[in-house]
Amino acid sequence: MGHGGNVIEELVTDHREVEEMFGKIEGLPPGHQDRKMYADQVTIELVRHSVAEEAYLYPAVREHVANGDALADRELEDHATAERIMKDLEGCDPGDADFDRQMGMLMSEIRSHIADEEGNLFPALRQACPMDALNELGEKVRNAKKTAPTRPHPAAPDKPPANKLLAPGTGMIDRLRDALTGRGKSE
C-alpha cells in the first residue's frame, strides 16, 4: 500500500496493512510455521506505528483536541496492553496453544484500538488541527517509523522527550537483531 499524505492517511494505511497481516494469520491452520513469520511482521509494524504515534500523534492530540489529554492517555493504555501481549507472543512457537490465545488477544486489542482511533480520535484531530500541521505530522511519523524499534519494549518511555531520544538507538539494535536472525522474513 502507498504511504504518504497527512498523519491520519498515513496511520490509516498502517491500520489496513496490519489488518491484511491478521487476515493471513487467520487464513493459515493452527501450528503452521508461517503464522510466526506473520506474527513477527505484525509486531514489527505495530511497534514502529506505536512509537511514531507516541512521539507525534498523541502530543498533537493533547495540544489541539478538546479533552486531548484523556484521549491520548487512553490510547497510550491501549498501546501498553498491546505491547505486553506482543512481548508474550514473542516467545511462543506457532504450535503452542498459547500462540493462538495470545494472537487472538492481540487481534482483539488492535482491532478495538483501530476502531477507536478511526471513529473518535482521527475525526476530532482532523476537525481541530490545521491541514498544514496534519501534513507536517504525516512526514514526522513516516520518518519516525524508519528509525523506530521493531520489538516490544514495555518498559520504554512512551512520552516525549524521552521516547524521541531513546527510540532511534533501540531501533538500530532491533533492526540489527532482526537482520541477524531473519525475523519477520519468509524462509
Side-chain angles (χ1 to χ4, degrees):
M1 292 185 193
H3 284 267
N6 71 46
V7 68
I8 295 168
E9 293 164 349
E10 177 71 19
L11 297 173
V12 167
T13 298
D14 287 353
H15 292 169
R16 297 302 165 268
E17 289 174 351
V18 165
E19 185 56 47
E20 185 178 313
M21 287 182 254
F22 283 165
K24 289 178 180 178
I25 292 167
E26 290 171 325
L28 291 170
H32 194 284
Q33 205 57 39
D34 284 350
R35 295 181 88 209
K36 179 67 171 171
M37 177 197 58
Y38 289 126
D40 288 343
Q41 289 176 358
V42 161
T43 297
I44 290 167
E45 181 57 34
L46 287 173
V47 170
R48 292 171 58 241
H49 176 92
S50 295
V51 166
E53 284 186 337
E54 290 166 7
Y56 296 105
L57 176 68
Y58 301 145
V61 168
R62 290 179 193 283
E63 179 182 343
H64 295 285
V65 177
N67 202 26
D69 285 338
L71 281 173
D73 288 344
R74 186 175 71 231
E75 300 299 331
L76 287 171
E77 287 174 20
D78 288 352
H79 281 199
T81 300
E83 197 158 12
R84 284 189 300 272
I85 296 168
M86 287 185 284
K87 190 68 177 170
D88 291 343
L89 189 59
E90 212 175 28
C92 290
D93 184 89
D96 296 346
D98 206 38
F99 180 91
D100 289 334
R101 188 178 69 75
Q102 295 288 345
M103 199 69 232
M105 287 172 37
L106 181 64
M107 288 181 188
S108 176
E109 180 67 31
I110 296 302
R111 286 172 172 153
S112 173
H113 179 76
I114 287 171
D116 186 46
E117 278 191 344
E118 291 184 8
N120 300 307
L121 189 133
F122 290 170
L125 185 63
R126 183 178 283 119
Q127 186 174 24
C129 194
M131 185 52 75
D132 60 330
L134 292 175
N135 289 332
E136 185 179 316
L137 285 169
E139 191 59 33
K140 287 179 178 179
V141 162
R142 278 186 291 285
N143 287 331
K145 288 191 300 183
K146 291 175 188 173
T147 60
T150 61
R151 294 170 182 262
H153 298 278
D158 58 11
K159 293 180 184 163
N163 64 347
K164 289 182 183 180
L165 294 172
L166 296 176
T170 305
M172 183 178 70
I173 293 166
D174 286 355
R175 285 186 300 285
L176 180 60
R177 285 178 63 198
D178 293 345
L180 292 172
T181 63
R183 178 175 172 261
K185 304 270 191 269
S186 57
E187 301 188 25

